[in-house]
Amino acid sequence: MTRPTPFDPPEGYAAVRDAGGLARVRLWDGRTAWLVTGYDEVRSLLSDPRISADRGHPGFPFPTAGREALERSGRTFVTMDPPEHGRLRRVFTKYFAIKRIEALRPMVQRIVDELVDDIMATPPPVDLVPALALEVPARTICRVLGMPFEDRHRFQALDHRRNTLTTSPEDVLRATEEMLAYADALITRKQREPADDLVSELVADQLGGDTVSREELVAAVRLLITAGHETTANMIAMSIATLLRHPEQLRELRADPSLVPNAVEELLRYISIFHISPTRVATERIEIGGHVIEAGDGVITAVAGANRDDAAFADAARFDLHREARHHVAFGYGVHQCLGQPLARVELQTVIETIFRRIPSLRLATDPESLSVKEYAFLSLTALPVTWEEQS
Ligand code: HEM
C-alpha cells in the first residue's frame, strides 16, 4: 500500500478499519500476515499475552529480508516476552523516569541553541535534516551515554545501513556486529574511567550483580544508542514540516508556547513515524473484530492506522494542535511501550519551541508537494529545505 502524501497513511488502512480493524495481507516473501489498523484492535493485541515479540517464531512477519536479518540479530529486550522481558526492562526503567529525564532539559536546550546559532550563521536555504534533525538526538544520546560527539557519525552510518530496507542481510549483520563491538568498547572504557554518564552508572550499578550479564548490557547499550536516534530525528523533521504546512496553527503556537507539549502529542499521533510496526506473532488462537488469528499467524499493528481512527480521534485526518491526543499509540502500547519516550518528548518540545521562536520567519524553501519520504523501517523525510528573512 502506498501513501498518498508523506503526511498521510495509505488510503487502504481505512478499508481495513471498516472490515473489523484488521485484514490479511500478503508480504514481500509471499507469506501472509494480519495488518491491524483499528485503534481498539491495535491496543487489544499489543496488550494480549497470547501475542509474542520473539523474532524466533517461524510465522513472525518482516517487511524485507534485510529487516529480518536485523530483527533476528543482537537479541535485546525488545524481542523478548514476559517474564524475561520484564527482568531486563526493569534494569533500565529508573534511568528513563520522567523526573530524571526532565533534569536533562537545560543540556538539550544548549545543544539545540548551538545548532540554531550555526543555522542562522549560514546563508539560507538550509536543509534542516542534516543541520538539525539528525544532530539533536545524536548529540543528546552522546551526552546521556557518555560518548564523544565525534563518534556520532560512525554510529549514524551504521544505524542507517541497518535500517535501510534494501540493505542485504549480510551487511545488516556486519553493521550490527560493529555496533555491538562499539558498545562493548564503551563499557570497557567506562569501567576503567568512570564519568558522570549513564553507561558509567549502569556499569557501577549493574555489572557484577546477578540481574544482568555483560552480554545483555552490551546489547542493551547498543539498543539505547540506536533506538532513539533515527526515530526522534525523523520526528523532528516531519514535525517542523507539518507545522510549516499549517501556518494558522503555527502562528498560534508561536504566540503561546504553552501549547507546545500538546502540539507535540498531536504531531506524534498525526505523523506516526513507525508506520508498519510494532510487529508480533500469535502464540494462541485469538478471536478479534469478527476474525480469527490462528496460533503462528504474523501480526502487524500499524500504529499509523490506529492513530488515524475516527473512533478514537474525531476527524482523525485533521491536524489540530488543540486536540486531546495523549492516548495516541505512536510510542506503542503494552509492556514494550517506548522506554525512551520522556527523552523523545524533551527533545521534540525543545526543538519546536526554539526553532520557531528564534527564527520567526522560517518557511519552506520548496514547494510543499515536493517533500518526499523514504519508506524506511520508519518514515524518513529525504530533505527539509527552509529559508528565512535574514536580520541585518
Ligand atoms: C520501544 C517509538 C524514541 C528507546 C518503542 C516502541 C515504539 C517506539 C513504537 C515499541 C516497539 C514494540 O512494541 O515492538 C519511538 C518513537 C520515538 C522513540 C516514535 C521518537 C519520537 C526513543 C528514544 C529512546 C527509545 C529517544 C531511548 C533513548 C526505546 C526502547 C524500546 C522502545 C529501549 C524498547 C522497549 C521494550 O521493548 O520494552 N519506541 N521511540 N525510543 N524505544 Fe522508542
Side-chain angles (χ1 to χ4, degrees):
M1 292 183 189
T2 49
R3 301 172 73 85
T5 79
F7 300 90
D8 295 293
E11 278 153 7
Y13 282 15
V16 173
R17 267 194 305 270
D18 293 343
L22 61 158
R24 264 188 112 73
V25 290
R26 188 167 301 282
L27 303 179
W28 61 281
D29 56 1
R31 295 187 305 160
T32 54
W34 292 95
L35 174 70
V36 193
T37 64
Y39 179 81
D40 286 344
E41 291 75 19
V42 162
R43 295 221 307 185
S44 162
L45 287 167
L46 285 177
S47 52
D48 193 315
R50 296 167 296 178
I51 283 281
S52 167
D54 185 348
R55 271 62 175 172
H57 282 284
F60 205 96
F62 300 99
T64 64
R67 192 73 201 169
E68 176 166 356
L70 181 148
E71 294 194 22
R72 288 200 159 138
S73 68
R75 200 161 169 265
T76 61
F77 55 89
V78 179
T79 65
M80 293 174 188
D81 294 326
E84 195 188 13
H85 165 265
R87 172 181 67 84
L88 275 172
R89 173 155 171 152
R90 271 193 300 278
V91 169
F92 300 92
T93 315
K94 71 171 184 191
Y95 305 102
F96 285 88
I98 296 178
K99 220 169 137 198
R100 258 187 90 121
I101 298 297
E102 279 298 319
L104 301 176
R105 229 176 240 279
M107 180 269 287
V108 175
Q109 184 69 59
R110 269 196 304 280
I111 288 174
V112 175
D113 274 329
E114 276 166 24
L115 290 164
V116 175
D117 287 345
D118 291 347
I119 291 167
M120 292 173 81
T122 315
V126 164
D127 179 359
L128 287 187
V129 171
L132 184 71
L134 283 167
E135 285 295 305
V136 173
R139 293 185 187 202
T140 301
I141 207 68
C142 282
R143 279 277 178 272
V144 171
L145 297 181
M147 306 183 290
F149 265 2
E150 309 78 75
D151 287 6
R152 71 190 187 284
H153 300 300
R154 192 163 144 213
F155 70 73
Q156 271 175 335
L158 287 172
D159 203 24
H160 195 77
R161 240 164 77 198
R162 281 162 38 88
N163 281 325
T164 301
L165 292 180
T166 49
T167 306
S168 72
E170 300 71 33
D171 201 25
V172 165
L173 290 179
R174 269 194 299 274
T176 303
E177 286 307 316
E178 272 184 61
M179 292 229 54
L180 285 169
Y182 177 86
D184 195 30
L186 180 66
I187 289 171
T188 305
R189 201 162 68 239
K190 299 299 173 184
Q191 281 179 298
R192 267 202 320 262
E193 304 157 26
D196 182 17
D197 57 59
L198 180 52
V199 176
S200 299
E201 210 175 334
L202 281 166
V203 163
D205 293 354
Q206 309 293 347
L207 269 191
D210 49 12
T211 319
V212 53
S213 69
R214 184 186 172 99
E215 201 188 343
E216 287 169 334
L217 192 64
V218 169
V221 168
R222 198 282 300 149
L223 172 66
L224 293 180
I225 296 174
T226 53
H229 181 233
E230 294 217 35
T231 41
T232 315
N234 288 309
M235 256 311 290
I236 289 173
M238 296 278 286
S239 295
I240 294 172
T242 301
L243 288 167
L244 290 173
R245 289 173 80 244
H246 293 87
E248 285 299 319
Q249 296 193 53
L250 178 55
R251 237 189 310 279
E252 273 189 76
L253 190 69
R254 267 207 207 95
D256 181 2
S258 74
L259 292 172
V260 168
N262 205 61
V264 164
E265 298 312 308
E266 173 65 348
L267 287 161
L268 285 159
R269 176 197 78 83
Y270 182 80
I271 296 165
S272 295
I273 218 91
F274 263 90
H275 60 136
I276 44 169
S277 54
T279 39
R280 299 286 190 267
V281 63
T283 52
E284 289 176 42
R285 184 175 193 272
I286 302 171
E287 284 181 39
I288 182 166
H291 300 278
V292 175
I293 301 178
E294 297 290 350
D297 283 356
V299 178
I300 303 163
T301 58
V303 294
N307 281 337
R308 292 292 185 100
D309 188 338
D310 290 326
F313 306 95
D315 195 5
R318 192 166 49 89
F319 174 71
D320 175 5
L321 57 78
H322 293 289
R323 91 159 70 230
E324 173 54 89
R326 271 178 307 179
H327 55 298
H328 66 71
V329 285
F331 287 122
Y333 191 72
V335 291
H336 288 280
Q337 195 178 119
C338 183
L339 177 74
Q341 53 185 293
L343 183 58
R345 286 193 166 98
V346 166
E347 291 181 50
L348 286 166
Q349 291 168 4
T350 308
V351 168
I352 287 165
E353 189 281 321
T354 308
I355 189 95
F356 292 115
R357 170 173 50 79
R358 294 199 49 199
I359 318 184
S361 59
L362 192 80
R363 60 178 196 278
L364 286 174
T366 180
D367 169 12
E369 304 311 313
S370 70
L371 293 176
S372 66
V373 281
K374 274 197 298 259
E375 299 213 12
Y376 219 32
F378 26 76
L379 296 175
S380 165
L381 210 52
T382 41
L384 181 58
V386 293
T387 186
W388 60 91
E389 302 337 316
E390 285 180 279
Q391 321 254 297
S392 49

PDB file of all heavy atoms in Angstrom, residues 43-56:
ATOM      1  N   ARG A  43      -4.554  -1.740  20.303  1.00  0.00           N
ATOM      2  CA  ARG A  43      -4.281  -1.736  21.749  1.00  0.00           C
ATOM      3  C   ARG A  43      -4.557  -3.104  22.368  1.00  0.00           C
ATOM      4  O   ARG A  43      -3.822  -3.583  23.228  1.00  0.00           O
ATOM      5  CB  ARG A  43      -5.116  -0.663  22.441  1.00  0.00           C
ATOM      6  CG  ARG A  43      -4.715   0.741  21.992  1.00  0.00           C
ATOM      7  CD  ARG A  43      -4.677   1.736  23.091  1.00  0.00           C
ATOM      8  NE  ARG A  43      -5.912   1.786  23.864  1.00  0.00           N
ATOM      9  CZ  ARG A  43      -6.114   2.669  24.826  1.00  0.00           C
ATOM     10  NH1 ARG A  43      -5.188   3.559  25.119  1.00  0.00           N
ATOM     11  NH2 ARG A  43      -7.244   2.684  25.496  1.00  0.00           N
ATOM     12  N   SER A  44      -5.644  -3.708  21.912  1.00  0.00           N
ATOM     13  CA  SER A  44      -6.004  -5.005  22.473  1.00  0.00           C
ATOM     14  C   SER A  44      -4.915  -6.042  22.165  1.00  0.00           C
ATOM     15  O   SER A  44      -4.477  -6.797  23.046  1.00  0.00           O
ATOM     16  CB  SER A  44      -7.374  -5.393  21.907  1.00  0.00           C
ATOM     17  OG  SER A  44      -7.596  -6.739  22.057  1.00  0.00           O
ATOM     18  N   LEU A  45      -4.444  -6.060  20.918  1.00  0.00           N
ATOM     19  CA  LEU A  45      -3.448  -7.076  20.547  1.00  0.00           C
ATOM     20  C   LEU A  45      -2.093  -6.808  21.210  1.00  0.00           C
ATOM     21  O   LEU A  45      -1.425  -7.741  21.655  1.00  0.00           O
ATOM     22  CB  LEU A  45      -3.314  -7.150  19.022  1.00  0.00           C
ATOM     23  CG  LEU A  45      -4.513  -7.830  18.345  1.00  0.00           C
ATOM     24  CD1 LEU A  45      -4.495  -7.595  16.833  1.00  0.00           C
ATOM     25  CD2 LEU A  45      -4.549  -9.328  18.642  1.00  0.00           C
ATOM     26  N   LEU A  46      -1.695  -5.523  21.296  1.00  0.00           N
ATOM     27  CA  LEU A  46      -0.381  -5.234  21.891  1.00  0.00           C
ATOM     28  C   LEU A  46      -0.347  -5.514  23.398  1.00  0.00           C
ATOM     29  O   LEU A  46       0.718  -5.580  23.997  1.00  0.00           O
ATOM     30  CB  LEU A  46       0.045  -3.787  21.605  1.00  0.00           C
ATOM     31  CG  LEU A  46       0.514  -3.516  20.170  1.00  0.00           C
ATOM     32  CD1 LEU A  46       0.854  -2.037  19.977  1.00  0.00           C
ATOM     33  CD2 LEU A  46       1.737  -4.371  19.793  1.00  0.00           C
ATOM     34  N   SER A  47      -1.536  -5.655  24.017  1.00  0.00           N
ATOM     35  CA  SER A  47      -1.529  -5.979  25.455  1.00  0.00           C
ATOM     36  C   SER A  47      -2.027  -7.400  25.704  1.00  0.00           C
ATOM     37  O   SER A  47      -2.342  -7.760  26.828  1.00  0.00           O
ATOM     38  CB  SER A  47      -2.371  -4.953  26.220  1.00  0.00           C
ATOM     39  OG  SER A  47      -3.648  -4.841  25.631  1.00  0.00           O
ATOM     40  N   ASP A  48      -2.074  -8.216  24.653  1.00  0.00           N
ATOM     41  CA  ASP A  48      -2.605  -9.579  24.776  1.00  0.00           C
ATOM     42  C   ASP A  48      -1.460 -10.561  25.062  1.00  0.00           C
ATOM     43  O   ASP A  48      -0.502 -10.626  24.292  1.00  0.00           O
ATOM     44  CB  ASP A  48      -3.310  -9.949  23.450  1.00  0.00           C
ATOM     45  CG  ASP A  48      -4.162 -11.186  23.579  1.00  0.00           C
ATOM     46  OD1 ASP A  48      -3.686 -12.171  24.187  1.00  0.00           O
ATOM     47  OD2 ASP A  48      -5.299 -11.174  23.078  1.00  0.00           O
ATOM     48  N   PRO A  49      -1.552 -11.329  26.151  1.00  0.00           N
ATOM     49  CA  PRO A  49      -0.456 -12.265  26.460  1.00  0.00           C
ATOM     50  C   PRO A  49      -0.323 -13.404  25.438  1.00  0.00           C
ATOM     51  O   PRO A  49       0.687 -14.115  25.445  1.00  0.00           O
ATOM     52  CB  PRO A  49      -0.841 -12.825  27.837  1.00  0.00           C
ATOM     53  CG  PRO A  49      -2.278 -12.505  28.022  1.00  0.00           C
ATOM     54  CD  PRO A  49      -2.600 -11.313  27.167  1.00  0.00           C
ATOM     55  N   ARG A  50      -1.305 -13.535  24.536  1.00  0.00           N
ATOM     56  CA  ARG A  50      -1.198 -14.583  23.502  1.00  0.00           C
ATOM     57  C   ARG A  50      -0.436 -14.082  22.274  1.00  0.00           C
ATOM     58  O   ARG A  50      -0.404 -14.720  21.237  1.00  0.00           O
ATOM     59  CB  ARG A  50      -2.613 -15.047  23.088  1.00  0.00           C
ATOM     60  CG  ARG A  50      -3.371 -15.720  24.222  1.00  0.00           C
ATOM     61  CD  ARG A  50      -4.834 -15.871  23.898  1.00  0.00           C
ATOM     62  NE  ARG A  50      -5.500 -14.579  23.752  1.00  0.00           N
ATOM     63  CZ  ARG A  50      -6.779 -14.409  23.437  1.00  0.00           C
ATOM     64  NH1 ARG A  50      -7.542 -15.457  23.213  1.00  0.00           N
ATOM     65  NH2 ARG A  50      -7.300 -13.198  23.338  1.00  0.00           N
ATOM     66  N   ILE A  51       0.166 -12.903  22.402  1.00  0.00           N
ATOM     67  CA  ILE A  51       0.935 -12.290  21.308  1.00  0.00           C
ATOM     68  C   ILE A  51       2.401 -12.214  21.738  1.00  0.00           C
ATOM     69  O   ILE A  51       2.694 -11.826  22.867  1.00  0.00           O
ATOM     70  CB  ILE A  51       0.370 -10.864  21.050  1.00  0.00           C
ATOM     71  CG1 ILE A  51      -0.939 -10.935  20.279  1.00  0.00           C
ATOM     72  CG2 ILE A  51       1.354  -9.972  20.363  1.00  0.00           C
ATOM     73  CD1 ILE A  51      -0.790 -11.160  18.797  1.00  0.00           C
ATOM     74  N   SER A  52       3.307 -12.569  20.835  1.00  0.00           N
ATOM     75  CA  SER A  52       4.733 -12.613  21.192  1.00  0.00           C
ATOM     76  C   SER A  52       5.565 -11.663  20.321  1.00  0.00           C
ATOM     77  O   SER A  52       5.285 -11.467  19.141  1.00  0.00           O
ATOM     78  CB  SER A  52       5.239 -14.044  21.004  1.00  0.00           C
ATOM     79  OG  SER A  52       6.644 -14.083  21.054  1.00  0.00           O
ATOM     80  N   ALA A  53       6.632 -11.110  20.940  1.00  0.00           N
ATOM     81  CA  ALA A  53       7.579 -10.254  20.201  1.00  0.00           C
ATOM     82  C   ALA A  53       8.826 -11.043  19.809  1.00  0.00           C
ATOM     83  O   ALA A  53       9.784 -10.471  19.294  1.00  0.00           O
ATOM     84  CB  ALA A  53       7.970  -9.063  21.078  1.00  0.00           C
ATOM     85  N   ASP A  54       8.824 -12.342  20.045  1.00  0.00           N
ATOM     86  CA  ASP A  54      10.012 -13.178  19.802  1.00  0.00           C
ATOM     87  C   ASP A  54      10.192 -13.443  18.308  1.00  0.00           C
ATOM     88  O   ASP A  54       9.397 -14.153  17.688  1.00  0.00           O
ATOM     89  CB  ASP A  54       9.844 -14.485  20.580  1.00  0.00           C
ATOM     90  CG  ASP A  54      11.076 -15.375  20.480  1.00  0.00           C
ATOM     91  OD1 ASP A  54      11.950 -15.076  19.635  1.00  0.00           O
ATOM     92  OD2 ASP A  54      11.142 -16.354  21.230  1.00  0.00           O
ATOM     93  N   ARG A  55      11.268 -12.864  17.753  1.00  0.00           N
ATOM     94  CA  ARG A  55      11.523 -12.973  16.302  1.00  0.00           C
ATOM     95  C   ARG A  55      11.908 -14.389  15.879  1.00  0.00           C
ATOM     96  O   ARG A  55      12.037 -14.668  14.689  1.00  0.00           O
ATOM     97  CB  ARG A  55      12.624 -12.000  15.883  1.00  0.00           C
ATOM     98  CG  ARG A  55      12.147 -10.604  15.484  1.00  0.00           C
ATOM     99  CD  ARG A  55      11.454  -9.861  16.583  1.00  0.00           C
ATOM    100  NE  ARG A  55      11.118  -8.481  16.225  1.00  0.00           N
ATOM    101  CZ  ARG A  55      10.372  -7.683  16.961  1.00  0.00           C
ATOM    102  NH1 ARG A  55       9.831  -8.108  18.090  1.00  0.00           N
ATOM    103  NH2 ARG A  55      10.127  -6.443  16.564  1.00  0.00           N
ATOM    104  N   GLY A  56      12.096 -15.287  16.837  1.00  0.00           N
ATOM    105  CA  GLY A  56      12.469 -16.664  16.505  1.00  0.00           C
ATOM    106  C   GLY A  56      11.289 -17.493  16.004  1.00  0.00           C
ATOM    107  O   GLY A  56      11.480 -18.524  15.372  1.00  0.00           O
TER     108      GLY A  56
END
